[in-house]
Amino acid sequence: MSQATAILGLGLIGSSLARAFKQRAAELTGRVIVYDRKPEVLRQALADGSADEAYQLDQMDSAGTDFTPLKDCGAVFICTPVAVIPRLAQAVAARTAALITDVGSVKAPLLTQLEGLRYIGGHPMAGSERVGYACGRASLFEDAIYVFCPPAGREQDPQVLADTAWLSALAAAIGASPLVLAAERHDEAVAAISHLPHVVASGLVNTAVGRQDDLRQRLAAGGFRDITRIASSDPELWSGICLQNRGPLLRQLAACIRQLDDFRHALTERDAEALSRYFAQARDSRDRLPDTDSRGSLQAEALLTAEISDRPGELGRLATLLGEAGISIRNMGIRHARPYEGGRLSVYLADPADLRRASALLRQAGYDCE
């Protein structure tokens, strides 16, 4: 399955896949053929080497798209909004016998609608509130879980097994951790840990600062911005996701509302013990989660935090100290308490065994670190 691989849609995920395939998995994917509705994006993909061939995509009228170049593809990745995936998948299947997969965050409805096609649902648990081709990067999938959902009842079919194995190998090649799940289990899980948080984050923003309250906006510091970051996501994309995963999301919303009702009752009754239990349960559950970066599975023992001032070159100085000591950094992120006043830097090390040495090195250089 290495003659060619196609990607339909070059937003954040699609463009990141294209880059990752070219840079890290060329032996598995072969030539990379891309489709997008924006001519300027297609030109950019060809210019920066993310694609070998590029064609115009009409998401709203698949009959208006020439899918002839897909004839010899081994696999087609559909990276468009969930609502248009079935229509595109049917059109693609009429032109090629290739494996069809997608990156949407809802799986059971798609598997039902695409029954009979050579289709395996896919969902890389990676992303950002940022969108568009320019935001894509080959490293997006590093340490992320990449879920694959084969058709129910056909998990042991030889073709399905072979396709799932190839997808899993490809996910591993681009740095992700493949995980095969039943579609219903996937949809219930993402309703709780992805879809509900988007709804709640949007509700917090609408409640707290949605009325153009200058004082609230000025006071909204790092904590509020952190927990509402995902409210900046694409509104049309997320309304479609919520509708597609309506049943599981409604169940999770009901559970969340019960939690808030319990809290409201305890607050109304001035029940300090119940309020304390509410916060303690959340703290304990949160503390049991593996400490991660924004994508998936970096463990707590690989994390170092340090106070850093807002001075030119300060971040480079810290990175140089570690680099010259042979300590590899996998990822970094900074949390500001207030703009332009420094903040707390999180440094994820590639090797947890380096943690103690890195901490000692930074303390010796004058950093307050944990």
Side-chain angles (χ1 to χ4, degrees), residues 321-328 354 357:
L321 279 171
L322 296 179
E324 289 180 345
I327 298 172
S328 179
D354 287 332
R357 188 161 60 96

Side-chain angles (χ1 to χ4, degrees), residues 209-287:
V209 295
R211 297 182 179 179
Q212 299 298 315
D213 186 310
D214 290 341
L215 177 60
R216 292 184 184 184
Q217 291 179 4
R218 289 178 62 194
L219 295 178
F224 182 81
R225 294 176 186 276
D226 283 346
I227 63 175
T228 59
R229 174 183 58 83
I230 53 178
S232 296
S233 299
D234 186 319
E236 291 188 12
L237 173 69
W238 276 96
S239 61
I241 288 172
C242 291
L243 287 171
Q244 287 284 333
N245 208 27
R246 179 175 173 271
L249 181 54
L250 283 172
R251 288 190 285 275
Q252 295 303 321
L253 277 170
C256 183
I257 290 168
R258 285 194 297 271
Q259 286 276 328
L260 294 176
D261 279 341
D262 289 345
F263 183 87
R264 179 172 59 181
H265 177 75
L267 187 61
T268 300
E269 298 299 319
R270 294 183 170 85
D271 188 341
E273 185 177 342
L275 294 175
S276 180
R277 283 199 306 271
Y278 179 90
F279 289 117
Q281 180 184 3
R283 178 202 61 199
D284 294 345
S285 297
R286 175 65 176 80
D287 288 349

Side-chain angles (χ1 to χ4, degrees), residues 84-267:
V84 301
I85 290 174
R87 181 167 61 249
L88 288 175
Q90 295 284 0
V92 168
R95 305 296 202 285
T96 178
L99 165 65
I100 299 172
T101 186
D102 71 302
V103 298
S105 68
V106 183
K107 297 275 76 83
L110 290 176
L111 281 161
T112 298
Q113 294 175 71
L114 300 178
E115 185 177 2
L117 299 189
R118 187 183 170 193
Y119 166 76
I120 291 178
H123 182 201
M125 303 296 292
S128 166
E129 74 280 8
R130 298 180 298 169
V131 297
Y133 182 85
C135 298
R137 59 189 188 277
S139 62
L140 183 69
F141 310 101
E142 288 180 2
D143 302 298
I145 301 294
Y146 200 135
V147 177
F148 297 109
C149 299
R154 294 182 54 210
E155 295 88 348
Q156 300 305 311
D157 178 280
Q159 182 67 70
V160 173
L161 285 171
D163 288 342
T164 304
W166 183 84
L167 287 170
S168 297
L170 180 57
I174 62 175
S177 298
L179 177 64
V180 179
L181 284 178
E184 290 75 14
R185 287 192 66 197
H186 166 274
D187 289 358
E188 287 288 347
V190 296
I193 56 91
S194 177
H195 304 168
L196 177 65
H198 272 81
V199 175
V200 172
S202 297
L204 285 173
V205 172
N206 290 338
T207 301
V209 295
R211 297 182 179 179
Q212 299 298 315
D213 186 310
D214 290 341
L215 177 60
R216 292 184 184 184
Q217 291 179 4
R218 289 178 62 194
L219 295 178
F224 182 81
R225 294 176 186 276
D226 283 346
I227 63 175
T228 59
R229 174 183 58 83
I230 53 178
S232 296
S233 299
D234 186 319
E236 291 188 12
L237 173 69
W238 276 96
S239 61
I241 288 172
C242 291
L243 287 171
Q244 287 284 333
N245 208 27
R246 179 175 173 271
L249 181 54
L250 283 172
R251 288 190 285 275
Q252 295 303 321
L253 277 170
C256 183
I257 290 168
R258 285 194 297 271
Q259 286 276 328
L260 294 176
D261 279 341
D262 289 345
F263 183 87
R264 179 172 59 181
H265 177 75
L267 187 61

Side-chain angles (χ1 to χ4, degrees), residues 309-350:
S309 59
D310 187 18
R311 293 198 302 262
E314 191 65 24
L315 191 60
R317 174 174 173 258
L318 184 147
T320 299
L321 279 171
L322 296 179
E324 289 180 345
I327 298 172
S328 179
I329 298 172
R330 186 187 291 270
N331 195 19
M332 290 194 297
I334 190 166
R335 177 176 297 177
H336 292 278
R338 291 178 294 277
Y340 313 116
E341 293 189 17
R344 196 78 180 166
L345 180 71
S346 296
V347 183
Y348 296 90
L349 304 180

